[in-house]
Amino acid sequence: MESIRRNIGKDLQIDRPLQAPTIAILGAGIGGLALAIGLAKRNVQVTVYEAAEQFSTVGAGIGLGPNSLNAMDLIDPIFRERYDKVKTKNEKPEFEHSMFDALYAEEGFGEKRGWTRGLIGAPYFTRSSAHRKDLLNIMESLIPEGTVKFRSRACAVEKIGDKVCIKFQDGTVQTFDAVVGCDGVKGITRQTVLGETTPEEVQPSLCGMYIYRGIIPMEKAKEILGIHAGDAKYFMAKGKAVVVYPISQGREENFVFFVQDPNPWLHGDNEIPCTKEDMLKDLEGFDDRLLKLLDYAKPLRWPTWHHPRTSTYFKGRVCLLGDVAHACTPHQAAGAGQGLEDAAVLSHLVSLVKAPNELEAAFQAYDAARRVRAQKVVLTSFEAGLIYIWRGRDTEDDMSKIVENANHRLHWIWQHDLKADIRKAEEEFFRLVLEQFCVLQIVTRSRLCRG
């Protein structure tokens, strides 16, 4: 690879001037900001456009596994250092290496059956989570001031010649050499990349569940849940479940109720209001302690979406990253981590680009490095969600089998060698650039001969 790198560097620097590409990121969520941090660390200028007036804290609890923390290190070691200062672990020592404790949602949490604990984790795993607001504050501090342009809602992304144009809702147009879509599960860049070739993949698929969510002060959670507060717990039942875990360095508890719903979602993209009675009816049969958490939940039903099929993460000079590429359900706590892995790989590849015409090679190498793994996370997360509401084909309502399954299904996510992915992606990038350069040389010589 070093000889290829030297040859490419010599050819590009001698035979044509270097030109730093202009790059825009659509979306200032975790994926978009992570990419911006990685590029800033590598002295690549970028502009981030965000439709909202400020950073969004929807989905307040963020769980991050070992692979996510490794990705932070590769994006920028300071990112990891600052995250470590605000992260939240499980409270009790016996749960230090537990992703969650699997329990029954019924009255007594399974004690009447003789079930008292179902730990999912690994000796090398340490539970780590954060409030989305705390994480975004850290990320904002690591990018140059003025990088993010709020109140900038894009309505179209189009290729015009060798440029990419972003049309905004206010009528303005901005032109860049490349655009990276980090614009969420229903982002417009997905249409740009997939609309012509695989239009059936553009829209996300409904996951057959909606959720109720909220945050409760830890002291109140302990009043309600007793010893079960302060550590990650997953209470399961037929067709429904709730996960609770600490955030904000133990000052708060995040909770999410999952309710299976086979019906189509007829309410557009957004959450819909409901009543407290609706929520209680959905969760009939749950222990009263769990139902008391609903006092801290807004009466809203949130649909869940994912992208089980995405045949490419780029087209020309438009690339997809994070949820717009591979949105997944939260049942493996892997979604944010996949966005961080994306950012680690893509920021490195873009830093190698010496001229705009090399951007497609970077995007192609990124697609090869990331798509198979990220799409597998989407599919296995959906499968895990079914297992944890007792709809798993081989596990059903057998908690012992569920725990055994959970303790085997996550290692390939947590122990992945992202550095090896980056090395391989770099090799592929240089191979593609050399190939492109050789083709240009042949074409140029052919024209000279004809002339």
Side-chain angles (χ1 to χ4, degrees):
M1 188 181 77
E2 287 301 319
S3 62
I4 293 176
R5 189 201 299 262
R6 286 195 297 271
N7 288 336
I8 292 174
K10 179 181 176 182
D11 289 338
L12 294 181
Q13 291 178 39
I14 291 175
D15 294 330
R16 62 187 179 196
L18 303 182
Q19 178 187 352
T22 57
I23 299 171
I25 297 172
L26 284 188
I30 291 172
L33 290 181
L35 178 60
I37 292 168
L39 293 176
K41 174 69 175 177
R42 292 156 180 80
N43 299 312
V44 178
Q45 291 188 338
V46 67
T47 302
V48 181
Y49 294 100
E50 169 56 44
E53 296 184 359
Q54 59 186 4
F55 295 119
S56 171
T57 57
V58 171
I62 305 290
L64 299 173
N67 60 302
S68 307
L69 307 185
N70 292 337
M72 283 183 180
D73 265 332
L74 293 171
I75 292 167
D76 185 341
I78 298 176
F79 184 14
R80 169 73 180 274
E81 291 174 12
R82 293 186 182 178
Y83 170 77
D84 283 342
K85 294 178 181 179
V86 303
K87 69 183 180 183
T88 304
K89 299 180 179 180
N90 281 334
E91 182 180 86
K92 302 176 190 65
E94 60 263 37
F95 296 108
E96 180 181 2
H97 301 296
S98 171
M99 180 184 181
F100 62 81
D101 181 17
L103 299 169
Y104 288 82
E106 67 190 21
E107 182 183 354
F109 302 149
E111 290 183 4
K112 296 176 182 179
R113 302 170 182 253
W115 184 270
T116 57
R117 183 168 294 181
L119 295 184
I120 284 82
Y124 62 84
F125 175 89
T126 299
R127 172 80 193 185
S128 171
S129 60
H131 195 297
R132 185 182 181 92
K133 174 174 57 67
D134 295 332
L135 185 58
L136 290 175
N137 285 342
I138 291 170
M139 299 178 83
E140 183 184 15
S141 73
L142 294 174
I143 58 177
E145 187 175 352
T147 297
V148 181
K149 312 297 182 185
F150 291 104
R151 303 181 185 88
S152 301
R153 183 175 295 279
C155 55
V157 176
E158 300 175 355
K159 182 178 183 296
I160 307 294
D162 59 354
K163 300 288 185 179
V164 181
C165 293
I166 308 173
K167 297 181 180 179
F168 293 93
Q169 209 167 54
D170 64 2
T172 59
V173 177
Q174 297 290 341
T175 302
F176 295 87
D177 292 314
V179 171
V180 182
C182 303
D183 43 341
V185 62
K186 293 198 173 184
I188 62 171
T189 52
R190 197 168 171 90
Q191 172 66 36
T192 306
V193 171
L194 300 166
E196 290 186 3
T197 55
T198 52
E200 69 280 2
E201 294 180 359
V202 172
Q203 295 301 318
S205 300
L206 192 64
C207 297
M209 288 187 198
Y210 54 79
I211 65 176
Y212 302 118
R213 61 170 138 222
I215 297 175
I216 179 173
M218 185 58 74
E219 64 270 20
K220 295 296 183 182
K222 289 187 174 182
E223 288 178 13
I224 295 170
L225 296 176
I227 62 171
H228 295 291
D231 304 298
K233 306 278 181 167
Y234 213 127
F235 301 92
M236 305 177 187
K238 192 75 167 181
K240 47 198 171 185
V242 58
V243 61
V244 300
Y245 54 92
I247 58 172
S248 305
Q249 295 185 299
R251 297 186 302 275
E252 298 175 303
E253 188 104 312
N254 192 64
F255 62 86
V256 183
F257 288 88
F258 301 97
V259 179
Q260 187 174 35
D261 181 14
N263 300 310
W265 189 260
L266 304 175
H267 312 286
D269 299 347
N270 301 319
E271 68 279 8
I272 61 168
C274 63
T275 66
K276 178 74 171 295
E277 289 69 29
D278 292 331
M279 300 163 79
L280 291 171
K281 183 178 180 181
D282 277 342
L283 302 169
E284 186 178 354
F286 272 30
D287 188 290
D288 287 343
R289 289 170 287 181
L290 299 177
L291 298 179
K292 288 180 181 178
L293 297 176
L294 294 174
D295 292 339
Y296 297 86
K298 292 183 179 179
L300 296 171
R301 286 176 175 167
W302 299 78
T304 57
W305 308 92
H306 67 165
H307 284 302
R309 293 175 299 279
T310 307
S311 55
T312 181
Y313 285 177
F314 82 104
K315 181 181 180 182
R317 295 187 185 179
V318 180
C319 186
L320 306 177
L321 184 150
D323 282 353
V324 73
H326 47 69
C328 67
T329 62
H331 305 289
Q332 294 184 136
Q338 289 308 291
L340 294 174
E341 289 186 16
D342 288 348
V345 174
L346 189 56
S347 61
H348 178 76
L349 290 170
V350 171
S351 74
L352 304 175
V353 170
K354 301 302 182 184
N357 66 348
E358 296 176 16
L359 285 162
E360 288 188 45
F363 291 165
Q364 185 173 340
Y366 159 78
D367 177 78
R370 291 292 306 138
R371 184 159 46 86
V372 171
R373 170 170 165 79
Q375 292 305 131
K376 183 179 178 182
V377 169
V378 176
L379 296 176
T380 56
S381 294
F382 178 71
E383 180 183 66
L386 293 178
I387 290 172
Y388 301 156
I389 58 169
W390 297 355
R391 302 295 190 188
R393 184 179 57 184
D394 298 322
T395 52
E396 297 182 329
D397 61 354
D398 188 324
M399 288 290 273
S400 295
K401 289 183 178 179
I402 290 170
V403 169
E404 181 182 8
N405 179 287
N407 272 315
H408 284 89
R409 70 182 303 109
L410 296 165
H411 300 293
W412 72 274
I413 298 177
W414 293 340
Q415 295 184 303
H416 188 69
D417 189 347
L418 189 59
K419 283 185 179 179
D421 284 353
I422 291 174
R423 287 193 298 270
K424 186 175 180 180
E426 181 177 322
E427 291 175 4
E428 177 66 5
F429 168 77
F430 281 118
R431 186 191 69 77
L432 291 167
V433 172
L434 181 59
E435 183 180 90
Q436 176 181 297
F437 180 78
C438 290
V439 169
L440 288 173
Q441 291 286 84
I442 293 170
V443 171
T444 300
R445 290 170 184 168
S446 176
R447 287 175 178 171
L448 289 173
C449 289
R450 288 200 302 269

